Amino acid sequence: MATVFLIIIYLAFISLGLPDSMIGAAWPMMRPDFGAPVDAAGLLSMIVVAGTIVSSLASSVVLNKLGTGKVTFISVAVTAFALLGFSYSPSILWLAVLSFPLGLGAGSIDAGLNNYVATHYKAHHMSWLHCFWGVGAMLGPIIMSRYIAAGDSWRQGFLTVSLIQFALVVLLFIALPLWKRAEPADQAPDGQIQQEIISPQVPGTGVLRIKGVKLALTTFLFYCGVEATLGLWGSSFLVNVKELSAATAAGWVSLYYGGITVGRLITGFVTFRFNNRQLIRTGILVSLLGALLLVLPLPAIFSLFGFILVGLGSAPIFPCMLHETPARFGKEHSQKIMGYQMAMAYTGGAFLPPMLGWIAARSSFMILPFMLVGYIIVMLISSEKINAVMKKRKEEVSM
């Protein structure tokens, strides 16, 4: 049953990833249909993330009341109906209205499953969990690009993804009894995480005053800023700056998510040899190299390599940072800090991409790679400072 339970969790993360890249991949075709300004995609993205933040903040209450199985089932169903609505939307206003439930469907699953896996499973499971998110995020623009290339409407892409979500809803409904059997035991097959945990003292003002927490929040903010910004505006950058067709651009964005997916699959195996901190540092440096390829005035094909490198570099960063949470700040503090981290991650995804869209609409999408480089450098500095804090804490404990 433990294996079946893991498969269900992985499938839930496929459903999380499927809609994440759909709007950005389809936007060059959607915008003329609605006569919308170029930066309207940023507003839609903000509404999606606002829904995700709301459901994340309510996740502990909802999960305690309904259980993870029912919350997962309901959330995927809400997402499926929202995507179905996207395929029939008559105006940009309807897209805005439907964007909120699209975000609602993600938050509770994300917060609940991430902390469960970080607390009860080894590092490779966290990487593979987010690899399955990448499978969904990669499939979204692939499906969209096929319909656009065939001369069909972008609406068919949203309709197809909604039908995939409805198929997952049926599977999750059938699997509800498995959650009832697994949840009372609250015991993962791998046992507790196998790593040294040094629990810091919590100041009277709360966990945010623990050394390193604010640095971790900064890292999450800019990581999701990089991931969401390239996912949302990558297609527009390729169309407007590199002069590629909308179908080709959507396909290249899918390869960016493919880089994340393949990278997380590989990371799951690499965690047997290297620790989370080493993988986070390597991932940030590879992402920086990819962003620099986008900055340089090179032929369009180098942009593809840049997208793939940013994706490969991003692969270990998010799951390894999540899995490090109990090790960095203590298992007893991890649930609360995990909630703060997810909220900050969503904030980065909500505000940084629209900010870039607003600037690009008044200048050029040439600014995209420069902004990415800046975000990644801030990530690198914050991450290395956390490592210094952890090293100092370990030395103090050993004295």
Side-chain angles (χ1 to χ4, degrees), residues 29-254:
M29 298 295 292
M30 294 172 67
R31 187 179 71 83
D33 286 358
F34 294 114
V38 67
D39 54 346
L43 178 60
L44 296 178
S45 175
M46 288 184 68
I47 297 172
V48 171
V49 178
T52 308
I53 291 173
V54 169
S55 60
S56 298
L57 294 174
S59 62
S60 60
V61 175
V62 175
L63 287 164
N64 287 334
K65 186 173 183 179
L66 298 178
T68 309
K70 288 182 180 178
V71 170
T72 303
F73 164 71
I74 294 170
S75 297
V76 176
V78 170
T79 301
F81 279 110
L83 289 168
L84 183 63
F86 261 68
S87 68
Y88 290 103
S89 291
S91 68
I92 192 73
L93 178 61
W94 273 104
L95 290 179
V97 170
L98 291 164
S99 291
F100 190 74
L102 185 63
L104 279 178
S108 293
I109 304 176
D110 213 357
L113 292 182
N114 273 315
N115 189 67
Y116 188 86
V117 174
T119 305
H120 295 88
Y121 287 82
K122 295 179 182 178
H124 57 275
H125 284 299
M126 181 65 84
S127 291
W128 289 336
L129 178 71
H130 286 269
C131 171
F132 276 82
W133 170 87
V135 170
M138 179 178 61
L139 285 175
I142 286 177
I143 292 170
M144 185 62 70
S145 67
R146 293 299 171 86
Y147 280 110
I148 294 174
D152 296 321
S153 171
W154 53 268
R155 297 178 186 274
Q156 291 297 115
F158 280 107
L159 178 60
T160 300
V161 173
S162 74
L163 294 176
I164 295 173
Q165 294 276 29
F166 278 118
L168 286 171
V169 169
V170 173
L171 182 60
L172 289 168
F173 178 76
I174 296 171
L176 280 176
L178 289 177
W179 289 91
K180 293 178 182 178
R181 292 171 58 190
E183 286 179 348
D186 194 31
Q187 178 63 45
D190 283 344
Q192 300 300 315
I193 48 176
Q194 302 296 315
Q195 53 183 311
E196 182 181 4
I197 296 177
I198 303 171
S199 297
Q201 294 294 320
V202 180
T205 50
V207 295
L208 287 176
R209 300 289 292 178
I210 297 175
K211 288 184 178 179
V213 169
K214 291 179 181 178
L215 291 169
L217 297 181
T218 301
T219 310
F220 274 92
L221 174 77
F222 284 98
Y223 169 79
C224 283
V226 170
E227 184 183 283
T229 297
L230 193 54
L232 183 63
W233 298 116
S235 185
S236 297
F237 169 78
L238 293 172
V239 170
N240 290 284
V241 177
K242 298 299 181 178
E243 299 181 347
L244 299 178
S245 69
T248 300
W252 285 21
V253 171
S254 74

Side-chain angles (χ1 to χ4, degrees), residues 253-288:
V253 171
S254 74
L255 292 176
Y256 158 63
Y257 285 105
I260 296 177
T261 304
V262 173
R264 284 176 180 168
L265 178 64
I266 296 171
T267 298
F269 295 102
V270 175
T271 56
F272 291 104
R273 184 173 178 84
F274 298 98
N275 62 42
N276 287 330
R277 291 184 292 278
Q278 292 170 323
L279 291 171
I280 292 168
R281 180 185 296 119
T282 302
I284 293 175
L285 292 175
V286 172
S287 293
L288 182 59

